[in-house]
Amino acid sequence: MFSNEEYLIQLLLEAGLISDTDIVTARAAKNKRQTPLEYMLDDGMIREEALSQTMAVNAGMEFVDLSELVPTPELLDAMPGEVASKYKAVPVGLDYGQIVVAVADPLNFDAMDSLPHLLNGASLSFVCATTSQIEQFLTEFYGIKQESANMDLEVVMAGDDSEAPPGQAKADADAPIIKLVTKILVEAHQSRSSDIHIEPMEKSLRIRYRIDGVMQEIDNHPKHLHGPVVARLKIMTGKMSIDERRIPQDGRIQARLGGKDLDLRVSTVPTSHGESIVMRILDKSGLTLGLGDLGFLSDDQATFDELISLPDGIILVTGPTGSGKTTTLYACLNAINKPDRKIITVEDPVEYQLAGINQVNVKEDIGMTFAAALRSMLRQAPNIIMIGEIRDLETATIAINASLTGHLVFSTLHTNDAPSAVARLTDIGIKPFLTASAVRAIMAQRLVRKLCKECKKPGVLDEMEIRALGLTHDQVRDATVMTPVGCSNCRQNGFRGRLAIAEIFRMDDEVRTAINDNISSVQLKRKARELGMRNLREDGIRKALAGMTTAAEVIEITVGDSD
């Protein structure tokens, strides 16, 4: 991304903008997709504007803000778009006959030496601007989308680990429908979408992405493109039938995008206007996250770190679909994945491949159910077991028995709060005394949008929010309340990414006695609250008052969780 990166890191350190701890953390992340400096920018350790200003001062350049700049047509004609895109340099003004050019990297001397020759010997002077503003300039005034402009999508056909033949890939890339599908996939990936919705309407084809949990309409195309787009996506899975349009189908697309693996689960459903396709993007970047990265504050993180280090018992994560349960379980496994422990998972399906862990895929059509897989797994002498979901009595019974015979078991349930998981296990058919003996803790969680670190600004809670959250003015007086603004980093919506809010229901002797007495879910929740369990709304309030999210987000997500 930047030339002389180590030199830049040293400049930032000397300027006091980062610490030695930040550098150690960034280098320890070992993210092959990011350099240490890119990691620090993405994590918010250093703001992009502060980095650019530091580079400008070091190079003796002026730092400029391009957000309000509108170049004249003559200025744009002075530099071809392909040159501007290649060198991340854009013309921003004229100064006594010299073209003023804004560059993202003032230490890239080769680029600055080459530009005058490429512009027919024009006289240039240079200023510095942020990379994101230059890319926005290229998109807005040259019509160039930086990342998607030169991205090749290489499809790996199902059941085949080899890439498509180079000649075929090139021929395919020239087809308009394939270009459209590639554009949809690339832009969805770059916008950090969790899924893509391709929906036939009466007279159009609607494209929507779910970004940070919120559906956003991206584009509309003529209806006649629907059939070819669906056919192309089915071909990319390598398994779905192009001719079958009457019944739902499922498949998977594996591709490489700019050197990065892209994995999508594809589902089709016939509707009154044609087949609707939803593609879930499986983001492997979440696999190496720690609990702190998921949004757990230090006290909850310490509690959960203690729980996942236990030698046996069951730890359950509950919540509705899309609440981040699987990501949390993977983060737990990642934290305890050591060479001296054997870990086996049974999932439906296996979403991500985890190094050093044995993963079993459920295939009910051939009799490989959760229960059958679990019985086989126990003969493999594991220390730790992860079950994708406890769905029935047989699976729950095997999980309970495994925990009581010295195994640590992780799994999920679909319940609204943590105490309700006990009633759910009873409904499945598990005796209360077994639940009390086996379960160590239950955590319910939700996801709220995280404020963009680049543009959030101080704000205040209004009277309605204070009342809705059950707070007093004294409680919010010293809070670090922040409000969304919007910038190029967050696609102008003020939020980037999501974080978890959680309630952790830890079992102790008093709780076990209450479960043995078969008390109701309402009574059990009241008992948990008396013993100090913080509910979802209270955890959300902590994060809103710490400036991590907004009160509106917490109120919306926990609307049914206020006492």
Side-chain angles (χ1 to χ4, degrees), residues 464-494:
M464 185 177 296
E465 289 173 331
I466 293 173
R467 286 198 302 271
L469 294 174
L471 300 175
T472 66
H473 287 279
D474 288 339
Q475 289 175 302
V476 302
R477 182 172 292 115
D478 298 323
T480 312
V481 177
M482 305 298 283
T483 188
V485 178
C487 65
S488 58
N489 183 56
C490 59
R491 299 171 64 89
Q492 307 301 325
N493 64 29

PDB file of all heavy atoms in Angstrom, residues 464-494:
ATOM      1  N   MET A 464     -35.774  11.461  25.062  1.00  0.00           N
ATOM      2  CA  MET A 464     -36.478  10.229  24.728  1.00  0.00           C
ATOM      3  C   MET A 464     -35.552   9.018  24.891  1.00  0.00           C
ATOM      4  O   MET A 464     -35.961   7.968  25.406  1.00  0.00           O
ATOM      5  CB  MET A 464     -37.010  10.304  23.291  1.00  0.00           C
ATOM      6  CG  MET A 464     -37.877   9.106  22.891  1.00  0.00           C
ATOM      7  SD  MET A 464     -38.540   9.277  21.215  1.00  0.00           S
ATOM      8  CE  MET A 464     -39.583  10.724  21.433  1.00  0.00           C
ATOM      9  N   GLU A 465     -34.298   9.143  24.448  1.00  0.00           N
ATOM     10  CA  GLU A 465     -33.343   8.037  24.563  1.00  0.00           C
ATOM     11  C   GLU A 465     -33.015   7.753  26.024  1.00  0.00           C
ATOM     12  O   GLU A 465     -32.904   6.592  26.437  1.00  0.00           O
ATOM     13  CB  GLU A 465     -32.074   8.365  23.777  1.00  0.00           C
ATOM     14  CG  GLU A 465     -32.260   8.342  22.262  1.00  0.00           C
ATOM     15  CD  GLU A 465     -31.048   8.831  21.501  1.00  0.00           C
ATOM     16  OE1 GLU A 465     -30.291   9.675  22.052  1.00  0.00           O
ATOM     17  OE2 GLU A 465     -30.843   8.391  20.355  1.00  0.00           O
ATOM     18  N   ILE A 466     -32.862   8.805  26.814  1.00  0.00           N
ATOM     19  CA  ILE A 466     -32.565   8.617  28.244  1.00  0.00           C
ATOM     20  C   ILE A 466     -33.701   7.868  28.928  1.00  0.00           C
ATOM     21  O   ILE A 466     -33.473   6.925  29.692  1.00  0.00           O
ATOM     22  CB  ILE A 466     -32.307   9.981  28.924  1.00  0.00           C
ATOM     23  CG1 ILE A 466     -31.008  10.605  28.395  1.00  0.00           C
ATOM     24  CG2 ILE A 466     -32.242   9.825  30.446  1.00  0.00           C
ATOM     25  CD1 ILE A 466     -30.752  12.020  28.881  1.00  0.00           C
ATOM     26  N   ARG A 467     -34.938   8.245  28.608  1.00  0.00           N
ATOM     27  CA  ARG A 467     -36.092   7.566  29.219  1.00  0.00           C
ATOM     28  C   ARG A 467     -36.211   6.132  28.719  1.00  0.00           C
ATOM     29  O   ARG A 467     -36.490   5.216  29.491  1.00  0.00           O
ATOM     30  CB  ARG A 467     -37.370   8.337  28.905  1.00  0.00           C
ATOM     31  CG  ARG A 467     -37.535   9.635  29.690  1.00  0.00           C
ATOM     32  CD  ARG A 467     -38.975  10.102  29.674  1.00  0.00           C
ATOM     33  NE  ARG A 467     -39.469  10.295  28.314  1.00  0.00           N
ATOM     34  CZ  ARG A 467     -39.368  11.429  27.628  1.00  0.00           C
ATOM     35  NH1 ARG A 467     -38.767  12.479  28.187  1.00  0.00           N
ATOM     36  NH2 ARG A 467     -39.847  11.534  26.407  1.00  0.00           N
ATOM     37  N   ALA A 468     -35.988   5.930  27.409  1.00  0.00           N
ATOM     38  CA  ALA A 468     -36.119   4.588  26.828  1.00  0.00           C
ATOM     39  C   ALA A 468     -35.103   3.622  27.424  1.00  0.00           C
ATOM     40  O   ALA A 468     -35.386   2.436  27.602  1.00  0.00           O
ATOM     41  CB  ALA A 468     -35.955   4.651  25.315  1.00  0.00           C
ATOM     42  N   LEU A 469     -33.920   4.127  27.749  1.00  0.00           N
ATOM     43  CA  LEU A 469     -32.872   3.276  28.314  1.00  0.00           C
ATOM     44  C   LEU A 469     -32.965   3.167  29.838  1.00  0.00           C
ATOM     45  O   LEU A 469     -32.172   2.440  30.446  1.00  0.00           O
ATOM     46  CB  LEU A 469     -31.490   3.815  27.918  1.00  0.00           C
ATOM     47  CG  LEU A 469     -31.146   3.742  26.419  1.00  0.00           C
ATOM     48  CD1 LEU A 469     -29.819   4.427  26.144  1.00  0.00           C
ATOM     49  CD2 LEU A 469     -31.117   2.305  25.932  1.00  0.00           C
ATOM     50  N   GLY A 470     -33.894   3.906  30.434  1.00  0.00           N
ATOM     51  CA  GLY A 470     -34.062   3.830  31.877  1.00  0.00           C
ATOM     52  C   GLY A 470     -32.919   4.455  32.641  1.00  0.00           C
ATOM     53  O   GLY A 470     -32.584   4.014  33.754  1.00  0.00           O
ATOM     54  N   LEU A 471     -32.321   5.496  32.083  1.00  0.00           N
ATOM     55  CA  LEU A 471     -31.171   6.143  32.710  1.00  0.00           C
ATOM     56  C   LEU A 471     -31.587   7.453  33.373  1.00  0.00           C
ATOM     57  O   LEU A 471     -32.691   7.958  33.150  1.00  0.00           O
ATOM     58  CB  LEU A 471     -30.088   6.417  31.657  1.00  0.00           C
ATOM     59  CG  LEU A 471     -29.521   5.205  30.918  1.00  0.00           C
ATOM     60  CD1 LEU A 471     -28.562   5.657  29.821  1.00  0.00           C
ATOM     61  CD2 LEU A 471     -28.811   4.263  31.886  1.00  0.00           C
ATOM     62  N   THR A 472     -30.678   7.981  34.171  1.00  0.00           N
ATOM     63  CA  THR A 472     -30.857   9.308  34.762  1.00  0.00           C
ATOM     64  C   THR A 472     -29.831  10.256  34.171  1.00  0.00           C
ATOM     65  O   THR A 472     -28.838   9.817  33.574  1.00  0.00           O
ATOM     66  CB  THR A 472     -30.676   9.256  36.291  1.00  0.00           C
ATOM     67  OG1 THR A 472     -29.299   8.926  36.579  1.00  0.00           O
ATOM     68  CG2 THR A 472     -31.599   8.218  36.924  1.00  0.00           C
ATOM     69  N   HIS A 473     -30.052  11.538  34.331  1.00  0.00           N
ATOM     70  CA  HIS A 473     -29.100  12.521  33.804  1.00  0.00           C
ATOM     71  C   HIS A 473     -27.742  12.384  34.492  1.00  0.00           C
ATOM     72  O   HIS A 473     -26.702  12.641  33.879  1.00  0.00           O
ATOM     73  CB  HIS A 473     -29.659  13.936  33.962  1.00  0.00           C
ATOM     74  CG  HIS A 473     -30.770  14.238  33.006  1.00  0.00           C
ATOM     75  ND1 HIS A 473     -30.537  14.610  31.710  1.00  0.00           N
ATOM     76  CD2 HIS A 473     -32.124  14.186  33.163  1.00  0.00           C
ATOM     77  CE1 HIS A 473     -31.697  14.802  31.094  1.00  0.00           C
ATOM     78  NE2 HIS A 473     -32.679  14.549  31.961  1.00  0.00           N
ATOM     79  N   ASP A 474     -27.743  11.996  35.743  1.00  0.00           N
ATOM     80  CA  ASP A 474     -26.464  11.795  36.442  1.00  0.00           C
ATOM     81  C   ASP A 474     -25.660  10.663  35.822  1.00  0.00           C
ATOM     82  O   ASP A 474     -24.435  10.730  35.730  1.00  0.00           O
ATOM     83  CB  ASP A 474     -26.717  11.483  37.922  1.00  0.00           C
ATOM     84  CG  ASP A 474     -27.194  12.703  38.703  1.00  0.00           C
ATOM     85  OD1 ASP A 474     -26.944  13.832  38.215  1.00  0.00           O
ATOM     86  OD2 ASP A 474     -27.823  12.527  39.762  1.00  0.00           O
ATOM     87  N   GLN A 475     -26.345   9.618  35.365  1.00  0.00           N
ATOM     88  CA  GLN A 475     -25.658   8.468  34.781  1.00  0.00           C
ATOM     89  C   GLN A 475     -25.021   8.790  33.436  1.00  0.00           C
ATOM     90  O   GLN A 475     -24.050   8.142  33.038  1.00  0.00           O
ATOM     91  CB  GLN A 475     -26.631   7.295  34.627  1.00  0.00           C
ATOM     92  CG  GLN A 475     -27.030   6.648  35.944  1.00  0.00           C
ATOM     93  CD  GLN A 475     -28.086   5.582  35.748  1.00  0.00           C
ATOM     94  OE1 GLN A 475     -29.168   5.850  35.212  1.00  0.00           O
ATOM     95  NE2 GLN A 475     -27.791   4.368  36.163  1.00  0.00           N
ATOM     96  N   VAL A 476     -25.552   9.751  32.722  1.00  0.00           N
ATOM     97  CA  VAL A 476     -25.025  10.058  31.383  1.00  0.00           C
ATOM     98  C   VAL A 476     -24.159  11.310  31.373  1.00  0.00           C
ATOM     99  O   VAL A 476     -23.605  11.664  30.327  1.00  0.00           O
ATOM    100  CB  VAL A 476     -26.178  10.222  30.366  1.00  0.00           C
ATOM    101  CG1 VAL A 476     -27.021   8.965  30.305  1.00  0.00           C
ATOM    102  CG2 VAL A 476     -27.044  11.436  30.696  1.00  0.00           C
ATOM    103  N   ARG A 477     -24.017  11.957  32.527  1.00  0.00           N
ATOM    104  CA  ARG A 477     -23.292  13.229  32.555  1.00  0.00           C
ATOM    105  C   ARG A 477     -21.842  13.077  32.102  1.00  0.00           C
ATOM    106  O   ARG A 477     -21.320  13.896  31.351  1.00  0.00           O
ATOM    107  CB  ARG A 477     -23.361  13.826  33.959  1.00  0.00           C
ATOM    108  CG  ARG A 477     -22.672  15.202  34.067  1.00  0.00           C
ATOM    109  CD  ARG A 477     -22.911  15.866  35.410  1.00  0.00           C
ATOM    110  NE  ARG A 477     -24.315  16.246  35.574  1.00  0.00           N
ATOM    111  CZ  ARG A 477     -25.118  15.729  36.478  1.00  0.00           C
ATOM    112  NH1 ARG A 477     -24.676  14.793  37.317  1.00  0.00           N
ATOM    113  NH2 ARG A 477     -26.376  16.122  36.571  1.00  0.00           N
ATOM    114  N   ASP A 478     -21.165  12.026  32.544  1.00  0.00           N
ATOM    115  CA  ASP A 478     -19.749  11.837  32.200  1.00  0.00           C
ATOM    116  C   ASP A 478     -19.544  10.802  31.106  1.00  0.00           C
ATOM    117  O   ASP A 478     -18.428  10.307  30.906  1.00  0.00           O
ATOM    118  CB  ASP A 478     -18.967  11.408  33.455  1.00  0.00           C
ATOM    119  CG  ASP A 478     -19.009  12.467  34.548  1.00  0.00           C
ATOM    120  OD1 ASP A 478     -18.968  13.661  34.199  1.00  0.00           O
ATOM    121  OD2 ASP A 478     -19.082  12.101  35.742  1.00  0.00           O
ATOM    122  N   ALA A 479     -20.604  10.452  30.381  1.00  0.00           N
ATOM    123  CA  ALA A 479     -20.498   9.419  29.338  1.00  0.00           C
ATOM    124  C   ALA A 479     -19.800   9.973  28.094  1.00  0.00           C
ATOM    125  O   ALA A 479     -19.817  11.174  27.823  1.00  0.00           O
ATOM    126  CB  ALA A 479     -21.885   8.914  28.969  1.00  0.00           C
ATOM    127  N   THR A 480     -19.182   9.062  27.342  1.00  0.00           N
ATOM    128  CA  THR A 480     -18.520   9.423  26.083  1.00  0.00           C
ATOM    129  C   THR A 480     -19.473   9.097  24.939  1.00  0.00           C
ATOM    130  O   THR A 480     -19.239   8.179  24.145  1.00  0.00           O
ATOM    131  CB  THR A 480     -17.208   8.648  25.916  1.00  0.00           C
ATOM    132  OG1 THR A 480     -16.446   8.732  27.117  1.00  0.00           O
ATOM    133  CG2 THR A 480     -16.386   9.195  24.761  1.00  0.00           C
ATOM    134  N   VAL A 481     -20.577   9.822  24.859  1.00  0.00           N
ATOM    135  CA  VAL A 481     -21.580   9.558  23.828  1.00  0.00           C
ATOM    136  C   VAL A 481     -21.088  10.086  22.491  1.00  0.00           C
ATOM    137  O   VAL A 481     -20.593  11.208  22.391  1.00  0.00           O
ATOM    138  CB  VAL A 481     -22.926  10.204  24.202  1.00  0.00           C
ATOM    139  CG1 VAL A 481     -23.953   9.982  23.091  1.00  0.00           C
ATOM    140  CG2 VAL A 481     -23.438   9.647  25.513  1.00  0.00           C
ATOM    141  N   MET A 482     -21.189   9.254  21.443  1.00  0.00           N
ATOM    142  CA  MET A 482     -20.766   9.654  20.104  1.00  0.00           C
ATOM    143  C   MET A 482     -21.947   9.513  19.151  1.00  0.00           C
ATOM    144  O   MET A 482     -22.891   8.753  19.397  1.00  0.00           O
ATOM    145  CB  MET A 482     -19.608   8.778  19.629  1.00  0.00           C
ATOM    146  CG  MET A 482     -18.409   8.740  20.567  1.00  0.00           C
ATOM    147  SD  MET A 482     -17.610  10.349  20.800  1.00  0.00           S
ATOM    148  CE  MET A 482     -16.698  10.491  19.270  1.00  0.00           C
ATOM    149  N   THR A 483     -21.869  10.241  18.049  1.00  0.00           N
ATOM    150  CA  THR A 483     -22.949  10.222  17.072  1.00  0.00           C
ATOM    151  C   THR A 483     -22.376   9.972  15.679  1.00  0.00           C
ATOM    152  O   THR A 483     -21.241  10.377  15.388  1.00  0.00           O
ATOM    153  CB  THR A 483     -23.717  11.559  17.106  1.00  0.00           C
ATOM    154  OG1 THR A 483     -24.874  11.467  16.278  1.00  0.00           O
ATOM    155  CG2 THR A 483     -22.858  12.709  16.613  1.00  0.00           C
ATOM    156  N   PRO A 484     -23.112   9.306  14.786  1.00  0.00           N
ATOM    157  CA  PRO A 484     -22.595   9.034  13.439  1.00  0.00           C
ATOM    158  C   PRO A 484     -22.606  10.274  12.561  1.00  0.00           C
ATOM    159  O   PRO A 484     -23.451  11.160  12.730  1.00  0.00           O
ATOM    160  CB  PRO A 484     -23.568   7.975  12.906  1.00  0.00           C
ATOM    161  CG  PRO A 484     -24.838   8.218  13.652  1.00  0.00           C
ATOM    162  CD  PRO A 484     -24.426   8.688  15.020  1.00  0.00           C
ATOM    163  N   VAL A 485     -21.643  10.336  11.628  1.00  0.00           N
ATOM    164  CA  VAL A 485     -21.549  11.465  10.705  1.00  0.00           C
ATOM    165  C   VAL A 485     -21.661  10.972   9.268  1.00  0.00           C
ATOM    166  O   VAL A 485     -22.582  11.324   8.543  1.00  0.00           O
ATOM    167  CB  VAL A 485     -20.229  12.251  10.910  1.00  0.00           C
ATOM    168  CG1 VAL A 485     -20.131  13.382   9.895  1.00  0.00           C
ATOM    169  CG2 VAL A 485     -20.159  12.795  12.326  1.00  0.00           C
ATOM    170  N   GLY A 486     -20.708  10.135   8.866  1.00  0.00           N
ATOM    171  CA  GLY A 486     -20.662   9.643   7.493  1.00  0.00           C
ATOM    172  C   GLY A 486     -19.426  10.127   6.763  1.00  0.00           C
ATOM    173  O   GLY A 486     -19.109  11.318   6.785  1.00  0.00           O
ATOM    174  N   CYS A 487     -18.709   9.204   6.145  1.00  0.00           N
ATOM    175  CA  CYS A 487     -17.515   9.548   5.366  1.00  0.00           C
ATOM    176  C   CYS A 487     -17.281   8.444   4.340  1.00  0.00           C
ATOM    177  O   CYS A 487     -18.021   7.457   4.279  1.00  0.00           O
ATOM    178  CB  CYS A 487     -16.292   9.710   6.287  1.00  0.00           C
ATOM    179  SG  CYS A 487     -15.783   8.172   7.114  1.00  0.00           S
ATOM    180  N   SER A 488     -16.236   8.574   3.538  1.00  0.00           N
ATOM    181  CA  SER A 488     -15.955   7.574   2.515  1.00  0.00           C
ATOM    182  C   SER A 488     -15.598   6.230   3.126  1.00  0.00           C
ATOM    183  O   SER A 488     -15.800   5.177   2.519  1.00  0.00           O
ATOM    184  CB  SER A 488     -14.819   8.058   1.613  1.00  0.00           C
ATOM    185  OG  SER A 488     -13.650   8.321   2.380  1.00  0.00           O
ATOM    186  N   ASN A 489     -15.057   6.241   4.339  1.00  0.00           N
ATOM    187  CA  ASN A 489     -14.662   4.994   4.999  1.00  0.00           C
ATOM    188  C   ASN A 489     -15.865   4.120   5.342  1.00  0.00           C
ATOM    189  O   ASN A 489     -15.770   2.896   5.371  1.00  0.00           O
ATOM    190  CB  ASN A 489     -13.886   5.318   6.275  1.00  0.00           C
ATOM    191  CG  ASN A 489     -13.376   4.084   6.984  1.00  0.00           C
ATOM    192  OD1 ASN A 489     -12.665   3.271   6.397  1.00  0.00           O
ATOM    193  ND2 ASN A 489     -13.726   3.919   8.246  1.00  0.00           N
ATOM    194  N   CYS A 490     -17.025   4.743   5.595  1.00  0.00           N
ATOM    195  CA  CYS A 490     -18.222   3.993   6.015  1.00  0.00           C
ATOM    196  C   CYS A 490     -19.359   4.123   5.007  1.00  0.00           C
ATOM    197  O   CYS A 490     -20.520   3.903   5.349  1.00  0.00           O
ATOM    198  CB  CYS A 490     -18.686   4.469   7.384  1.00  0.00           C
ATOM    199  SG  CYS A 490     -19.104   6.234   7.465  1.00  0.00           S
ATOM    200  N   ARG A 491     -19.046   4.519   3.790  1.00  0.00           N
ATOM    201  CA  ARG A 491     -20.056   4.681   2.729  1.00  0.00           C
ATOM    202  C   ARG A 491     -21.124   5.699   3.120  1.00  0.00           C
ATOM    203  O   ARG A 491     -22.297   5.563   2.816  1.00  0.00           O
ATOM    204  CB  ARG A 491     -20.700   3.338   2.384  1.00  0.00           C
ATOM    205  CG  ARG A 491     -19.720   2.303   1.873  1.00  0.00           C
ATOM    206  CD  ARG A 491     -20.366   0.928   1.744  1.00  0.00           C
ATOM    207  NE  ARG A 491     -21.432   0.926   0.753  1.00  0.00           N
ATOM    208  CZ  ARG A 491     -21.257   0.675  -0.551  1.00  0.00           C
ATOM    209  NH1 ARG A 491     -20.044   0.391  -1.004  1.00  0.00           N
ATOM    210  NH2 ARG A 491     -22.269   0.691  -1.381  1.00  0.00           N
ATOM    211  N   GLN A 492     -20.680   6.721   3.865  1.00  0.00           N
ATOM    212  CA  GLN A 492     -21.515   7.867   4.242  1.00  0.00           C
ATOM    213  C   GLN A 492     -22.664   7.540   5.192  1.00  0.00           C
ATOM    214  O   GLN A 492     -23.580   8.347   5.353  1.00  0.00           O
ATOM    215  CB  GLN A 492     -22.094   8.540   2.979  1.00  0.00           C
ATOM    216  CG  GLN A 492     -21.074   8.929   1.933  1.00  0.00           C
ATOM    217  CD  GLN A 492     -20.020   9.898   2.457  1.00  0.00           C
ATOM    218  OE1 GLN A 492     -20.320  10.748   3.280  1.00  0.00           O
ATOM    219  NE2 GLN A 492     -18.788   9.771   1.952  1.00  0.00           N
ATOM    220  N   ASN A 493     -22.632   6.372   5.875  1.00  0.00           N
ATOM    221  CA  ASN A 493     -23.740   6.078   6.780  1.00  0.00           C
ATOM    222  C   ASN A 493     -23.376   6.172   8.258  1.00  0.00           C
ATOM    223  O   ASN A 493     -24.226   6.004   9.130  1.00  0.00           O
ATOM    224  CB  ASN A 493     -24.360   4.707   6.476  1.00  0.00           C
ATOM    225  CG  ASN A 493     -23.400   3.557   6.701  1.00  0.00           C
ATOM    226  OD1 ASN A 493     -22.495   3.627   7.535  1.00  0.00           O
ATOM    227  ND2 ASN A 493     -23.587   2.482   5.957  1.00  0.00           N
ATOM    228  N   GLY A 494     -22.096   6.421   8.574  1.00  0.00           N
ATOM    229  CA  GLY A 494     -21.695   6.646   9.959  1.00  0.00           C
ATOM    230  C   GLY A 494     -21.360   5.394  10.749  1.00  0.00           C
ATOM    231  O   GLY A 494     -20.923   5.495  11.895  1.00  0.00           O
TER     232      GLY A 494
END
